[in-house]
Amino acid sequence: MDNKPLPKWQNTLHEIIYEADTPAGKFFDLMLFVLIIISVILVMLESVQEIDQKYHKSLLAMEWIVTIFFSIEYIARIISIKKPWKYIFSFYGIIDFLSTIPLYLSYILAGSQVLLAVRAFRLLRIFRILKLVKFIGEASQLKKALKASRTKIAVFIYVVLILSVILGTMMYIVEGNEAGFTSIPRSIYWTVVTLTTVGYGDITPVTSLGQFLATVIMILGYGIIAVPTGIVTAEIAKSGKDDKKDIDKEPMVHVNTQACPCCGIGGHRDDASHCYNCGHGL
Amino acid sequence: MDNKPLPKWQNTLHEIIYEADTPAGKFFDLMLFVLIIISVILVMLESVQEIDQKYHKSLLAMEWIVTIFFSIEYIARIISIKKPWKYIFSFYGIIDFLSTIPLYLSYILAGSQVLLAVRAFRLLRIFRILKLVKFIGEASQLKKALKASRTKIAVFIYVVLILSVILGTMMYIVEGNEAGFTSIPRSIYWTVVTLTTVGYGDITPVTSLGQFLATVIMILGYGIIAVPTGIVTAEIAKSGKDDKKDIDKEPMVHVNTQACPCCGIGGHRDDASHCYNCGHGL
Amino acid sequence: MDNKPLPKWQNTLHEIIYEADTPAGKFFDLMLFVLIIISVILVMLESVQEIDQKYHKSLLAMEWIVTIFFSIEYIARIISIKKPWKYIFSFYGIIDFLSTIPLYLSYILAGSQVLLAVRAFRLLRIFRILKLVKFIGEASQLKKALKASRTKIAVFIYVVLILSVILGTMMYIVEGNEAGFTSIPRSIYWTVVTLTTVGYGDITPVTSLGQFLATVIMILGYGIIAVPTGIVTAEIAKSGKDDKKDIDKEPMVHVNTQACPCCGIGGHRDDASHCYNCGHGL
Amino acid sequence: MDNKPLPKWQNTLHEIIYEADTPAGKFFDLMLFVLIIISVILVMLESVQEIDQKYHKSLLAMEWIVTIFFSIEYIARIISIKKPWKYIFSFYGIIDFLSTIPLYLSYILAGSQVLLAVRAFRLLRIFRILKLVKFIGEASQLKKALKASRTKIAVFIYVVLILSVILGTMMYIVEGNEAGFTSIPRSIYWTVVTLTTVGYGDITPVTSLGQFLATVIMILGYGIIAVPTGIVTAEIAKSGKDDKKDIDKEPMVHVNTQACPCCGIGGHRDDASHCYNCGHGL
């Protein structure tokens, strides 16, 4: 088995980058978080024309600083882990990669700024960086409840979509071009806007029959909106109860934010000496 | 009793069309589903003027292909079942018929394109085609919860409608013609738009009194929206619990998507040899 | 005690008007319901200018027919009951009176059409007319749940109003006149429109700071909308459970729509021979 | 210990201002509440240009009356309590101060009218003034439920914000300047408007791709809105149950609105002779 410890420099790097137990690790995490926030704000400011025209050079310079730091961090993450592919193809690995390359790509490809949106995903790291174990617990409970109601919600959305197609086609026939219902896809867009109670008002029915139909759709949407709420609520209420029962029955241990130097998995027991996933020494 | 088996060719056709156990049946179902999706997309594309002007002929040709396939399928469904009337007047039978005829009708009747909207209902077949037994289970649970809260929701909608008439009339008197409240029906339309929190903004109060009244209506709507949600949630939570109890008490069996060759009903036990509805051999 | 039975003609009239057990009573109730619906539709049609201009005379004639019938019914209700004041000052008594007088008043007072809106309340009679005992049960359960959560909802609405005043004043200061925030009351109107997720769009923030503040208000509204829903849901779920318990513990009897000829109260036991309220013979 | 009673005049003042047990105290509280409402209405009226131009002098005079009363009340509150700093830096102490100074400040600072919004917070005093112990109980139950679901809601809002940044950036790239998506911050504003189902309609997608994306965002928002509702509902339902249990198990006593003359804390037992917080005699 490939269970020998990492060389010392690699181990130190791993502790700094992947963990938050040492002062250096804490400082690295905090700095990384500040840089992620700066990188997201930069993308926003660049998109505001007045600001971009005035401070174009400063913004570009800062963008380069962020990109270079992200590049170094990305490489450091790869070389300080035993199985780099596991990191590269993990959720965070892909996001880290996509957050780093847009500036390089912008010299080759025109529309590469699309990738800048990906950076916002890095904000999810806050949960690990700030050691918000409690938050992670709540988040995972929410995730569990949403996962449990996944099938129900899928069925529900599918039925809503079919309904939207049918009602949209009806409104297209009833209202016609003058009111903005210029095609069935646009009518379906309007129906979804109405059923979800968003109601922009960019397209509105003008004929009496159309307004009557719209009224029916709205009251329908009123009843329909209750369904996903009901599903999720029932699931959360249940998961809350199950958790309580679990506490009574099963023993629980405290986990920390330490990450395995081999496979990078986190959430180990405080008293763990080996990774529960790959068996590597911690 | 009329319990003799179907002739062989009819039996084979039945297996292909109504069931999804044989490779031929699976292929047929998949092809049917693809054609249903194509037929819905065709209806949408035809409604977009730019596309229809450019590709009118191709779209019409494809519409004919879909229509002819649907026609054949409809006839095959009728001749391969023992009691065709049961199919013809079933929910799916009527939808299949209405999805097939619009193109034929368009040469006789002008407004027959209305029927095209019906096609979207065929998308509901996905549940049977993809053998999504789990989905069907969830759907039926949702349906049960909605059914149980049917009376409560009816009472609620009736009261909301009465409220809309009263508040709409009040707004009509307060606001008058300038603000768009040109008649009581239009005012009622506005009230429903407001109570359901859709809020298009095509009609909005402009006088101080009207805006004050609108504020009251909105806060009322805020409280009212809670009621259907509460009803459905309570019902779903209860049905979830009841299901759990049922599992403890009553034995359950797995059902499959096989359909009776005689009456066309589905959801038989895996080990069933006779239809639970008409007693015909499976 | 004033417990002697009514004279015969009065008794018969009472049976026809207040009860629905005899064929004559059923016919009267049905006719009344049809007339109520016609009276509401008449009010609506009169408000549509094009229709009113064309059919003014016919509409006025029908309005007179409805008004005369309502007048006769109102008088009959008074003379066929032993304690007329109880009826006159009851909820339905006041509504019946206000539904009858607008046409008479319109010759004396100008703005008396306001009272026409009251007619819609008469639609609530459907519950009694159609003997929808089941519906009444559901309605009373809803009413009980709403009543139980009354205090919580009052507290909630009071806090929302204070919040609206504060946020509205802030938006007035931030946005100013150009964006439509011309005064604090108008800004409060906008805040309620936003907090309740109605969102007309007649007033919208245009400055960056205003849009940022609006974003915060919307997310706040998002969280706030959960509160009344949560209150009502918890109450309905509880009332559902309580009902179940009650069924196990307490015996229940079936009630009918018969009304006491003396005090007019309904909901008597099927086997009742005296009014449970005033002791008068049924 | 500094436990000696207050001098008599101070004690009497304390009873009048902080408590509502004596006729003088009741009168003071009622008058205060009326003045708070007047002060809030004054702020509103001053902001309506037509009214302000006509009645500027009267409004200013009344504003001075209110301000002087508030000033006297503020000073009286400070001198009639043993530990004034506790009051000055309490929630209500700060609000009382900020509600008093705007008029004085307006002669020194220009934008000081911002502080007028703070006055609305004083309306929260109604709970204490009107001795609405029942309301306070309900409010505290709501507060407890919201507090318990605080972490879950924080996680939820954080994820919604990240989602808004990502979806907003996508819409900015897809739609561009013509449709109103002039910068990423504005696009994020639009995304929040859509996700929360407010839907002003001041910015709306015009391209087909943008409308398709908007449809996806709306359906997403539909599902997302269920989450906070589910969280709060589950929490309220649970707190309701816990309360019931508590009643069975733990003894409860009635508390009154009396406030400690030393530290100002309220909610003492009816039979209390010493403050539960500082031990001072009541």
Side-chain angles (χ1 to χ4, degrees):
Chain A
M1 262 178 78
D2 181 20
N3 220 341
K4 65 177 181 214
L6 291 163
K8 206 172 168 251
W9 67 268
Q10 224 175 335
N11 216 8
T12 314
L13 202 60
H14 181 92
E15 288 237 316
I16 292 170
I17 296 178
Y18 283 92
E19 279 160 51
D21 297 337
T22 56
K26 268 180 193 160
F27 177 76
F28 173 85
D29 278 352
L30 201 71
M31 213 182 112
L32 177 61
F33 187 59
V34 170
L35 267 167
I36 290 173
I37 287 179
I38 289 174
S39 77
V40 171
I41 291 171
L42 271 179
V43 173
M44 288 191 196
L45 291 181
E46 280 162 30
S47 77
V48 185
Q49 276 194 317
E50 305 92 71
I51 294 173
D52 191 46
Q53 280 170 349
K54 262 198 195 157
Y55 308 103
H56 185 73
K57 279 193 182 162
S58 326
L59 289 172
L60 193 70
M62 286 185 74
E63 185 73 51
W64 267 114
I65 293 168
V66 168
T67 299
I68 287 165
F69 183 92
F70 279 8
S71 308
I72 294 168
E73 183 222 344
Y74 186 68
I75 292 163
R77 274 185 194 275
I78 290 175
I79 58 170
S80 71
I81 205 169
K82 248 190 175 169
K83 300 184 180 166
W85 294 112
K86 278 216 167 169
Y87 162 69
I88 290 171
F89 292 110
S90 71
F91 177 69
Y92 282 118
I94 292 166
I95 283 171
D96 289 352
F97 178 71
L98 293 177
S99 307
T100 310
I101 52 163
L103 194 58
Y104 301 126
L105 267 182
S106 68
Y107 290 91
I108 316 171
L109 248 82
S112 59
Q113 69 215 94
V114 182
L115 290 168
L116 290 170
V118 173
R119 274 190 191 164
F121 277 120
R122 295 201 83 184
L123 291 168
L124 287 171
R125 267 184 196 273
I126 195 182
F127 292 125
R128 270 209 58 208
I129 288 170
L130 300 183
K131 278 201 159 208
L132 299 168
V133 180
K134 195 182 157 202
F135 276 76
I136 298 176
E138 297 283 14
S140 79
Q141 201 181 323
L142 275 182
K143 222 155 70 183
K144 219 172 66 187
L146 285 175
K147 220 170 180 176
S149 44
R150 203 178 30 180
T151 332
K152 271 205 198 75
I153 287 178
V155 169
F156 169 74
I157 285 178
Y158 189 72
V159 172
V160 165
L161 283 181
I162 292 176
L163 220 64
S164 299
V165 172
I166 293 163
L167 295 170
T169 310
M170 280 167 73
M171 285 302 286
Y172 168 71
I173 292 161
V174 166
E175 281 285 329
N177 280 334
E178 298 82 37
F181 296 81
T182 49
S183 66
I184 291 180
R186 261 184 85 88
S187 292
I188 292 171
Y189 160 74
W190 174 87
T191 311
V192 172
V193 167
T194 301
L195 269 182
T196 55
T197 77
V198 170
Y200 289 131
D202 52 345
I203 312 173
T204 49
V206 291
T207 67
S208 298
L209 184 56
Q211 290 184 343
F212 176 74
L213 215 72
T215 306
V216 174
I217 292 174
M218 275 177 257
I219 289 174
L220 205 71
Y222 213 48
I224 282 178
I225 211 168
V227 177
T229 312
I231 294 167
V232 175
T233 305
E235 216 55 62
I236 289 176
K238 214 168 67 186
S239 93
K241 261 179 228 161
D242 292 357
D243 281 12
K244 242 188 202 162
K245 276 186 214 157
D246 291 356
I247 288 165
D248 295 344
K249 286 183 208 158
E250 293 174 40
M252 289 184 84
V253 291
H254 198 262
V255 297
N256 56 28
T257 59
Q258 211 183 347
C260 170
C262 171
C263 67
I265 244 172
H268 299 285
R269 295 174 61 134
D270 280 343
D271 56 351
S273 61
H274 286 83
C275 172
Y276 69 87
N277 187 41
C278 67
H280 196 279
L282 294 171
Chain B
M1 262 178 80
D2 181 21
N3 219 340
K4 65 176 181 213
L6 293 162
K8 205 170 170 253
W9 68 267
Q10 225 176 336
N11 215 8
T12 313
L13 202 58
H14 181 91
E15 290 237 315
I16 292 171
I17 295 178
Y18 283 92
E19 279 159 53
D21 297 338
T22 55
K26 269 180 193 157
F27 177 76
F28 173 84
D29 278 353
L30 201 71
M31 214 181 110
L32 178 60
F33 186 60
V34 170
L35 266 166
I36 290 173
I37 287 178
I38 288 174
S39 77
V40 171
I41 291 171
L42 270 178
V43 174
M44 288 190 196
L45 291 180
E46 280 162 29
S47 77
V48 184
Q49 276 195 317
E50 305 93 72
I51 294 173
D52 190 46
Q53 281 170 350
K54 261 197 195 157
Y55 307 103
H56 185 72
K57 280 193 181 163
S58 325
L59 288 172
L60 193 70
M62 286 184 73
E63 185 73 52
W64 267 114
I65 293 169
V66 167
T67 298
I68 286 165
F69 183 92
F70 279 7
S71 308
I72 295 169
E73 183 222 343
Y74 185 68
I75 293 163
R77 273 184 194 276
I78 290 174
I79 58 171
S80 71
I81 204 168
K82 248 189 172 169
K83 300 183 179 167
W85 295 113
K86 280 217 165 166
Y87 162 69
I88 289 170
F89 293 110
S90 71
F91 176 69
Y92 281 118
I94 292 165
I95 283 170
D96 290 351
F97 179 70
L98 293 176
S99 307
T100 310
I101 52 163
L103 195 57
Y104 300 127
L105 267 182
S106 68
Y107 290 92
I108 314 170
L109 249 81
S112 60
Q113 70 216 90
V114 183
L115 291 168
L116 289 169
V118 173
R119 273 191 191 163
F121 277 119
R122 295 203 82 184
L123 290 168
L124 286 170
R125 267 184 195 276
I126 195 181
F127 293 125
R128 270 209 60 209
I129 287 170
L130 300 184
K131 278 202 158 208
L132 300 168
V133 179
K134 196 183 155 200
F135 276 76
I136 298 177
E138 297 283 13
S140 79
Q141 200 181 324
L142 275 182
K143 222 154 71 183
K144 220 172 65 188
L146 285 175
K147 220 170 179 174
S149 43
R150 204 178 27 183
T151 332
K152 271 205 197 76
I153 286 178
V155 170
F156 169 74
I157 285 177
Y158 188 72
V159 173
V160 166
L161 283 180
I162 292 176
L163 219 64
S164 299
V165 172
I166 294 162
L167 295 171
T169 310
M170 280 168 74
M171 284 303 285
Y172 167 71
I173 292 161
V174 167
E175 281 286 328
N177 280 333
E178 298 83 38
F181 295 82
T182 50
S183 68
I184 291 179
R186 259 183 86 88
S187 291
I188 292 170
Y189 159 74
W190 174 86
T191 311
V192 172
V193 167
T194 302
L195 268 183
T196 55
T197 76
V198 170
Y200 288 131
D202 51 347
I203 311 172
T204 50
V206 290
T207 66
S208 297
L209 185 57
Q211 291 185 342
F212 176 74
L213 216 73
T215 306
V216 173
I217 294 174
M218 275 176 257
I219 289 174
L220 206 70
Y222 212 50
I224 282 178
I225 212 169
V227 177
T229 312
I231 295 168
V232 175
T233 304
E235 217 54 65
I236 289 177
K238 211 168 69 184
S239 92
K241 260 179 230 158
D242 292 356
D243 282 12
K244 242 188 201 162
K245 276 186 216 155
D246 290 357
I247 288 166
D248 295 344
K249 286 183 207 159
E250 293 174 40
M252 289 185 84
V253 292
H254 197 263
V255 297
N256 56 30
T257 60
Q258 211 183 346
C260 171
C262 173
C263 67
I265 243 172
H268 299 286
R269 296 174 59 134
D270 281 343
D271 56 352
S273 62
H274 286 82
C275 172
Y276 69 86
N277 186 41
C278 68
H280 196 279
L282 294 172
Chain C
M1 261 177 78
D2 181 21
N3 219 340
K4 64 175 182 219
L6 292 164
K8 203 168 171 257
W9 68 266
Q10 221 175 339
N11 215 8
T12 315
L13 202 59
H14 181 93
E15 289 238 315
I16 292 170
I17 293 177
Y18 283 92
E19 278 159 53
D21 296 339
T22 56
K26 269 180 193 158
F27 177 77
F28 173 84
D29 278 353
L30 201 69
M31 216 182 109
L32 177 61
F33 187 60
V34 170
L35 267 167
I36 291 173
I37 287 179
I38 288 174
S39 77
V40 171
I41 292 172
L42 271 178
V43 174
M44 288 191 197
L45 291 180
E46 281 162 30
S47 77
V48 185
Q49 277 195 317
E50 304 93 71
I51 294 173
D52 191 47
Q53 280 171 350
K54 262 197 193 156
Y55 308 105
H56 185 73
K57 280 192 180 164
S58 327
L59 289 172
L60 193 69
M62 288 185 73
E63 185 73 50
W64 267 115
I65 294 169
V66 168
T67 298
I68 287 164
F69 182 93
F70 279 8
S71 308
I72 294 169
E73 183 222 343
Y74 186 67
I75 292 162
R77 274 186 193 274
I78 290 173
I79 59 170
S80 72
I81 204 167
K82 250 191 172 169
K83 301 185 178 163
W85 295 113
K86 279 217 167 170
Y87 162 70
I88 290 170
F89 293 110
S90 71
F91 176 69
Y92 281 118
I94 292 165
I95 283 170
D96 289 352
F97 179 70
L98 293 177
S99 307
T100 310
I101 52 162
L103 195 57
Y104 301 126
L105 267 183
S106 68
Y107 290 90
I108 315 169
L109 248 83
S112 60
Q113 70 215 91
V114 182
L115 290 168
L116 290 170
V118 173
R119 275 192 191 163
F121 277 119
R122 295 203 83 184
L123 291 168
L124 286 170
R125 268 187 193 273
I126 194 180
F127 292 126
R128 270 210 58 209
I129 288 170
L130 299 184
K131 279 204 160 205
L132 299 169
V133 179
K134 196 183 156 199
F135 276 76
I136 297 176
E138 298 283 12
S140 78
Q141 200 180 324
L142 276 181
K143 223 155 68 185
K144 219 172 65 186
L146 285 176
K147 219 170 180 175
S149 43
R150 205 179 26 182
T151 334
K152 271 205 197 75
I153 287 178
V155 169
F156 170 75
I157 286 178
Y158 188 71
V159 172
V160 165
L161 284 180
I162 292 177
L163 219 63
S164 299
V165 172
I166 294 163
L167 295 171
T169 311
M170 278 168 74
M171 284 303 286
Y172 168 71
I173 292 161
V174 166
E175 281 285 328
N177 280 334
E178 298 83 37
F181 295 82
T182 50
S183 68
I184 291 179
R186 259 183 87 87
S187 291
I188 292 170
Y189 160 74
W190 173 87
T191 311
V192 173
V193 167
T194 302
L195 268 183
T196 55
T197 78
V198 170
Y200 289 131
D202 52 347
I203 311 172
T204 49
V206 290
T207 65
S208 297
L209 184 57
Q211 290 185 343
F212 176 75
L213 215 73
T215 305
V216 173
I217 293 173
M218 276 176 254
I219 289 175
L220 206 70
Y222 213 49
I224 282 177
I225 212 170
V227 176
T229 312
I231 295 168
V232 175
T233 304
E235 217 54 64
I236 289 177
K238 213 168 68 185
S239 93
K241 259 178 229 160
D242 291 356
D243 281 12
K244 242 187 202 162
K245 274 185 217 157
D246 290 357
I247 288 166
D248 295 344
K249 285 183 207 159
E250 293 174 40
M252 289 185 82
V253 292
H254 198 262
V255 298
N256 56 30
T257 60
Q258 215 183 343
C260 172
C262 172
C263 67
I265 243 173
H268 299 285
R269 295 174 61 135
D270 280 343
D271 56 352
S273 61
H274 286 83
C275 173
Y276 67 88
N277 186 40
C278 67
H280 197 278
L282 294 172
Chain D
M1 261 178 79
D2 181 21
N3 220 341
K4 64 176 182 213
L6 291 163
K8 207 174 168 252
W9 68 267
Q10 222 175 339
N11 215 9
T12 315
L13 201 60
H14 181 93
E15 289 238 317
I16 293 171
I17 294 179
Y18 284 92
E19 277 158 54
D21 297 338
T22 56
K26 269 181 193 157
F27 176 76
F28 173 84
D29 278 353
L30 201 70
M31 214 182 112
L32 178 60
F33 187 59
V34 170
L35 266 167
I36 291 173
I37 288 179
I38 289 173
S39 76
V40 171
I41 291 172
L42 270 179
V43 174
M44 287 191 198
L45 291 181
E46 281 162 29
S47 77
V48 185
Q49 276 194 318
E50 304 94 70
I51 294 173
D52 191 45
Q53 280 170 352
K54 261 196 193 158
Y55 307 105
H56 185 72
K57 280 193 181 162
S58 327
L59 289 173
L60 193 68
M62 288 185 72
E63 185 74 50
W64 267 113
I65 294 168
V66 168
T67 298
I68 286 164
F69 183 92
F70 279 8
S71 308
I72 294 169
E73 183 222 343
Y74 185 67
I75 292 162
R77 274 185 195 276
I78 290 174
I79 58 171
S80 71
I81 203 167
K82 248 191 175 169
K83 301 185 180 165
W85 295 112
K86 279 217 168 167
Y87 163 70
I88 290 170
F89 293 110
S90 71
F91 175 70
Y92 281 118
I94 292 165
I95 284 170
D96 290 351
F97 179 71
L98 293 176
S99 308
T100 310
I101 51 163
L103 195 57
Y104 301 125
L105 266 183
S106 68
Y107 290 90
I108 314 170
L109 248 81
S112 60
Q113 71 215 94
V114 182
L115 290 168
L116 290 169
V118 173
R119 275 192 189 162
F121 277 118
R122 294 202 84 184
L123 291 168
L124 287 170
R125 268 186 193 272
I126 195 181
F127 292 126
R128 271 209 58 208
I129 288 170
L130 299 184
K131 278 202 161 206
L132 299 168
V133 180
K134 196 182 155 201
F135 276 77
I136 298 176
E138 298 284 11
S140 78
Q141 200 180 325
L142 275 182
K143 223 156 69 184
K144 219 172 65 186
L146 285 176
K147 220 171 180 176
S149 42
R150 203 178 28 180
T151 333
K152 272 205 198 74
I153 287 177
V155 169
F156 170 74
I157 285 178
Y158 188 72
V159 172
V160 165
L161 283 180
I162 292 177
L163 220 63
S164 299
V165 172
I166 294 163
L167 294 170
T169 310
M170 279 168 73
M171 284 304 285
Y172 168 70
I173 292 161
V174 166
E175 282 285 328
N177 280 334
E178 298 83 37
F181 295 81
T182 49
S183 67
I184 291 180
R186 259 183 88 87
S187 292
I188 292 170
Y189 160 73
W190 173 87
T191 310
V192 172
V193 167
T194 302
L195 268 182
T196 55
T197 78
V198 170
Y200 289 130
D202 52 346
I203 312 172
T204 49
V206 290
T207 65
S208 298
L209 184 57
Q211 290 185 344
F212 176 75
L213 216 73
T215 306
V216 174
I217 292 173
M218 276 176 255
I219 290 175
L220 206 70
Y222 212 49
I224 282 177
I225 212 170
V227 177
T229 312
I231 295 168
V232 175
T233 305
E235 216 56 62
I236 289 176
K238 213 168 68 185
S239 93
K241 259 178 230 160
D242 292 355
D243 281 11
K244 241 188 202 163
K245 275 186 216 156
D246 290 357
I247 288 165
D248 295 344
K249 285 184 208 157
E250 293 174 39
M252 289 184 85
V253 291
H254 197 262
V255 297
N256 56 29
T257 59
Q258 211 183 347
C260 171
C262 171
C263 67
I265 243 172
H268 298 285
R269 295 174 61 135
D270 280 342
D271 56 351
S273 63
H274 286 83
C275 173
Y276 68 87
N277 186 41
C278 68
H280 196 278
L282 293 173

